[in-house]
Structure formats: C-alpha cells, structure tokens
Amino acid sequence: MKIRLTVNGEPREADVWEGESLLFALREHMALPGSKNACEQGECGSCSVLLDGVLVCACLVLAAQADGHEVVTVEGLAENGRLSRVQEAFAEAGAVQCGFCTPGLVVATADLLRRIPEPSEDEIREALSGNLCRCTGYVKIFDAVRMAAGL
Ligand code: FES
Ligand code: FES
C-alpha cells in the first residue's frame, strides 16, 4: 500500500506492506536511519519519534497508521543545518558513548523541554524513563538535559 505523510516538514510517500512498522519505513524507505532499532518491542526508546507532536516508539506504530500524519525524527531537530541546543548539549556534556540510544534520548528530551522548559529532576527522570542506555549510567544524560534547559 502507498502511504503519504509529512516527515521533518517535507511531504513523503512510500510503498509499505500492511504489517510494516513506521521505524522500518523511515529507515529503509525514506533514508532516515537516525531512529535506531534496538528491541523492536517498545522497551528501549531508541526509535523515539514525534507523531503529530506526541512522543511514540516508531517500532510500535504501523507505517500505515502514519498515513496522512506528521512525523518528526531526530534528523528533523537540527535547525537551519545546525545542531539543536539539545543535540549540542548531549555532545558537550559527554552524554554520548556508543550513541545507539542517543537519537531516542534527544527526541525525548526535545519533547520534554517543549512541554516543560524548566523541568524538575523528577520530571526529567520520568520523561526519559522509557529510554534505555547501556553505556553512560545516565549521569551525563541528565547533565545534558539540564544544560539544554539552561538549569
Ligand atoms: S526499538 Fe522501539 S522501543 Fe526499542
Ligand atoms: S550511549 Fe551507548 S547505549 Fe547509550
């Protein structure tokens, strides 16, 4: 089936099969490999994207469900060809080691700061609770969120 959607502000279309995930469609049909596939069952958050402004795991959304909707991936967060403040903060704080979890954490952080510009510690932990990282121990990740928020 053919789907038409807006991805990172641009109209896109793709031929997908009915059971295909949005994550697969983004990575394999739209040349957007930023969203990572780690668990494919909604456990790790590495595939986090915004669907009509709502944070979702792209591995749990059918590509067909995104037909006619708006998707923002980590690639869409850069502003005028420059890293967003969240992306910059992750790099500056040393919150990236292997980097596999980073796209999902960056999208989740951008979502958090759009909803709550100055989050509390509890709000940061709650917002990122669906994103697993094997490398950093989370300390640098929380530093990056605070840095991006200017806290
Ligand atoms: S790949 Fe989607 S939550 Fe892990
Ligand atoms: S930096 Fe490696 S999983 Fe998070």
Side-chain angles (χ1 to χ4, degrees):
M1 65 179 289
K2 183 160 278 192
I3 59 168
R4 293 184 181 81
L5 63 167
T6 302
V7 181
N8 299 334
E10 292 185 3
R12 301 291 299 260
E13 52 180 59
D15 273 316
V16 302
W17 67 281
E18 285 72 5
E20 190 167 302
S21 71
L22 174 60
L23 177 62
F24 188 89
L26 290 168
R27 291 177 55 85
E28 304 301 330
H29 296 307
M30 301 186 204
L32 290 168
S35 312
K36 297 290 182 272
N37 181 357
C39 74
E40 230 174 349
Q41 49 188 344
E43 295 289 344
C44 74
S46 66
C47 63
S48 301
V49 300
L50 298 172
L51 177 62
D52 292 338
V54 176
L55 188 69
V56 297
C57 292
C59 69
L60 294 185
V61 176
L62 291 175
Q65 289 176 294
D67 187 30
H69 294 272
E70 189 168 336
V71 175
V72 176
T73 71
V74 70
E75 289 94 339
L77 297 181
E79 295 150 0
N80 302 321
R82 302 189 51 163
L83 294 181
S84 69
R85 72 193 159 110
V86 174
Q87 290 167 315
E88 261 176 14
F90 268 70
E92 223 171 286
V96 181
Q97 287 187 28
C98 82
F100 208 82
C101 68
T102 308
L105 279 160
V106 165
V107 173
T109 301
D111 175 60
L112 167 66
L113 298 186
R114 186 175 46 85
R115 293 182 291 107
I116 308 173
E118 294 185 11
S120 66
E121 283 299 306
D122 285 350
E123 287 167 332
I124 293 172
R125 286 167 186 265
E126 169 70 25
L128 301 188
S129 61
N131 293 79
L132 303 183
C133 175
R134 288 182 167 195
C135 306
T136 68
Y138 297 95
V139 172
K140 297 292 184 188
I141 290 171
F142 295 144
D143 286 349
V145 178
R146 280 186 228 102
M147 190 182 288
L151 297 173

